[in-house]
């Protein structure tokens, strides 16, 4: 029987892959993301994602994590062992279980898509926080929207928090990014979308539209500044979610979920 890849000699803090992983923790990456933890690796194994590097500390895990580690190591391009001391330096978790990978995110292009009247797209403008970006990705998946479009992005897709907040859906949910807002708006027009800007100050309710007959897109703004003025200059109508208490707005991901599921309900005849 061939020796397990998990029996390889441990590597230390000066190894190139360790330096690479430390850079990933700071988001210095090019289309790659740090994946850490048992359920995170279960999600990873359920996708065709390329696993470039797997790093494992057997002392930190249990029988279950050992099984996951063996499966990840068999698929990864490279597999290494590390000490508990080095794991503590690399881990982002309070109680690490010894599983860390570097995975490559899928790449999506605007021409990869075709749409029909059942289609839904979420546009997120100026999202600042990785947790919110991950939750938006998870929401897009949950309502079976076609993709997430990013404009004026500040949070990075490659931030490890995006993976956790999306429950791994960042590996399977199409995400597009446009250099400018007019480029994104033109792409939506070219595909004949009805576009609705989420604006708490708008007079039109999000429930006043049937969301049928054409593809539907919602544009949500940043956590602090709301929608860019440039989006308001594109000629699209604005809708609001009524605020019945003292708060003047909702979290961006919660707003997106309300809007997307309302449109999906109309399109599916729920």
């Amino acid at each position: 029987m061939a020796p397990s890849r998990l029996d390889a000699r441990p590597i230390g803090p000066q190894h190139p892959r360790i330096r690479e992983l430390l850079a990933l923790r700071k988001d210095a990456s090019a289309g790659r993301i740090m994946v850490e933890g048992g359920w995170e690796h279960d999600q990873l194994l359920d996708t065709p994602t390329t696993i470039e590097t797997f790093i494992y500390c057997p002392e930190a895990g249990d029988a279950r994590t050992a099984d996951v580690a063996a499966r990840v190591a068999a698929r990864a391009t490279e597999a290494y062992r590390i000490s508990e001391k080095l794991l503590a330096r690399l881990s982002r978790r309070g109680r690490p279980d010894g599983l860390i990978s570097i995975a490559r995110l899928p790449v999506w292009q605007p021409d990869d898509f075709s749409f029909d009247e059942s289609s839904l797209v979420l546009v997120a403008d100026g999202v600042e926080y990785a947790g919110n970006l991950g939750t938006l990705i998870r929401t897009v998946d949950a309502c079976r929207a076609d993709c997430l479009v990013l404009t004026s992005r500040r949070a990075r897709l490659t931030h490890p928090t995006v993976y956790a907040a999306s429950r791994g859906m960042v590996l399977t949910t199409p995400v597009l990014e446009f250099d400018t807002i007019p480029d994104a708006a033109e792409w939506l027009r070219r595909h004949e979308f009805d576009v609705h800007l989420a604006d708490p100050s708008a007079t039109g309710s999000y429930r006043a539209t049937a969301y049928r007959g054409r593809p539907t897109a919602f544009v949500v703004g940043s956590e602090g500044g709301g929608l860019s003025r440039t989006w308001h200059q594109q000629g699209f109508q604005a809708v609001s979610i009524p605020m019945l208490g003292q708060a003047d707005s909702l979290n961006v991901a919660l707003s997106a979920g309300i809007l997307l599921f309302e449109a999906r309900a109309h399109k599916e005849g729920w």
Side-chain angles (χ1 to χ4, degrees):
M1 179 181 295
S4 168
R5 298 181 76 191
L6 297 179
D7 294 329
R9 181 179 178 181
I11 59 173
Q14 299 307 312
H15 192 279
R17 293 298 174 265
I18 299 301
R19 294 199 298 268
E20 187 176 46
L21 192 57
L22 288 170
L24 271 176
R25 283 197 51 171
K26 299 177 181 178
D27 256 346
S29 60
R32 292 173 298 171
I33 195 166
M34 174 181 169
V35 178
E36 180 180 5
W39 74 258
E40 290 89 343
H41 279 83
D42 278 336
Q43 291 291 111
L44 181 61
L45 288 167
D46 283 341
T47 73
T49 304
T50 298
I51 305 171
E52 294 187 346
T53 302
F54 176 54
I55 296 172
Y56 175 52
C57 177
E59 293 78 12
D62 54 22
R64 180 185 176 280
T65 54
D67 174 70
V68 175
R71 290 185 286 131
V72 177
R75 219 177 88 181
T77 303
E78 301 174 326
Y80 302 97
R81 286 176 57 202
I82 59 172
S83 67
E84 288 186 278
K85 182 178 179 181
L86 183 52
L87 175 66
R89 180 180 173 189
L90 297 175
S91 177
R92 294 171 53 88
R93 302 161 70 105
R95 299 179 63 184
D97 55 12
L99 309 176
I100 301 177
S101 289
I102 299 174
R104 183 160 293 278
L105 291 176
V107 177
W108 306 88
Q109 301 297 335
D111 292 337
D112 292 341
F113 299 87
S114 59
F115 302 103
D116 58 30
E117 65 181 47
S118 70
S119 295
L120 269 176
V121 163
L122 177 66
V123 182
D125 180 58
V127 175
E128 302 174 65
Y129 304 120
N132 277 339
L133 178 54
T135 305
L136 289 170
I137 292 169
R138 185 177 176 182
T139 304
V140 165
D141 170 82
C143 72
R144 206 173 66 250
D146 295 69
C147 65
L148 173 66
V149 172
L150 301 176
T151 59
S152 309
R153 174 188 54 77
R154 296 176 65 182
R156 297 185 182 184
L157 275 173
T158 52
H159 195 292
T161 299
V162 172
Y163 189 96
S166 74
R167 300 294 287 181
M169 296 302 102
V170 69
L171 300 178
T172 56
T173 301
V175 180
L176 292 176
E177 184 168 6
F178 287 88
D179 292 334
T180 70
I181 290 171
D183 287 344
E186 176 55 32
W187 181 77
L188 292 169
R189 291 191 191 96
R190 188 165 69 249
H191 289 286
E192 300 183 333
F193 273 85
D194 284 333
V195 181
H196 308 275
L197 309 180
D199 181 355
S201 65
T203 57
S205 169
Y206 76 104
R207 302 210 66 197
T209 302
Y211 303 114
R212 292 178 179 170
R214 283 158 57 101
T216 300
F218 293 103
V219 187
V220 295
S222 70
E223 298 87 339
L227 273 179
S228 164
R229 181 180 300 178
T230 307
W231 270 113
H232 286 287
Q233 294 170 344
Q234 301 306 308
F236 301 130
Q237 69 170 351
V239 296
S240 67
I241 299 170
M243 296 290 102
L244 306 180
Q246 298 183 45
D248 60 1
S249 64
L250 294 173
N251 171 273
V252 62
L254 179 56
S255 296
I258 291 171
L259 297 170
L260 289 170
F261 274 99
E262 178 75 10
R264 178 58 70 207
H266 283 269
K267 290 178 182 295
E268 301 294 334
W270 294 348

